[in-house]
Amino acid sequence: MSLTTPYDDNNIFAKILRGEAPAHKVYEDDQTFAFMDIMPMMEGHTLVIPREPAVNMFDLSEDAATTLIRTTRKVAHAVRGAFDPHGVICAQFSGAPAGQTVFHIHFHIIPSWEGVEMNLHARKMQEADVLADHARRITAKLAT
Ligand code: 5GP
């Protein structure tokens, strides 16, 4: 997958946006959508995506980039409020060699705690009830 790979309408995040695949949603608006990562690196690991069909940073429009980072900031505040971490990683990987595995652009929001080792990237599925509980905690903070 190079940085000029065309967008595939059947990627898993496109299916989530169309409601064809399930997700633990925490936030949505006209241009963005946020949900729990199914294989979290830490508890509270959340993903933020644009509705615009872009593969990575290099085919994303400026308008979609603006709303994507605005929602990332908003959700990062809620993740911080819900989990009280020592730090928060906000990360975006463009291209397989950079670590991208799903080819619809997304920001990761990953809480971190001193002395707590992160899970490996995209390795271990979390239980649905745990993800649902974490989504509820973040949604509750977004409502305040
Ligand atoms: P990337 O490697 O592309 O930066 O990140 C893709 C992320 O999507 C990974 O952290 C992975 O755990 C997550 N992921 C992959 N498939 C699914 C899925 O079907 N649902 C959800 N919620 N997350 C997924």
Side-chain angles (χ1 to χ4, degrees):
M1 287 282 187
S2 78
L3 285 175
T4 54
T5 300
Y7 186 81
D8 173 4
D9 276 328
N10 284 319
N11 77 75
I12 185 63
F13 293 174
K15 289 181 179 173
I16 288 171
L17 280 174
R18 291 196 297 266
E20 295 168 9
H24 294 93
K25 181 178 82 176
V26 300
Y27 176 81
E28 70 176 318
D29 59 27
D30 286 355
Q31 296 177 63
T32 61
F33 190 92
F35 55 106
M36 303 313 297
D37 194 299
I38 206 168
M39 293 173 272
M41 294 177 72
M42 289 291 241
E43 72 169 13
H45 184 168
T46 306
L47 300 170
V48 185
I49 62 178
R51 294 191 187 277
E52 180 173 285
V55 175
N56 59 41
M57 193 60 87
F58 303 99
D59 60 337
L60 183 68
S61 71
E62 193 173 322
D63 282 353
T66 303
T67 52
L68 181 59
I69 197 65
R70 188 179 296 140
T71 297
T72 301
R73 178 181 179 278
K74 182 196 290 270
V75 175
H77 274 273
V79 169
R80 179 188 181 196
F83 293 94
D84 196 24
H86 298 149
V88 177
I89 297 167
C90 296
Q92 193 284 312
F93 307 145
S94 284
Q100 187 173 14
T101 58
V102 176
F103 296 92
H104 179 115
I105 189 172
H106 47 280
F107 270 91
H108 295 264
I109 299 171
I110 310 172
S112 67
W113 287 266
E114 276 172 28
V116 181
E117 204 173 317
M118 283 197 190
N119 299 322
L120 290 174
H121 181 59
R123 283 292 170 84
K124 191 165 174 283
M125 291 269 228
Q126 182 54 279
E127 303 289 336
D129 56 343
V130 174
L131 294 176
D133 175 58
H134 290 173
R136 265 193 299 275
R137 286 165 65 175
I138 296 167
T139 308
K141 287 294 172 186
L142 281 165
T144 60

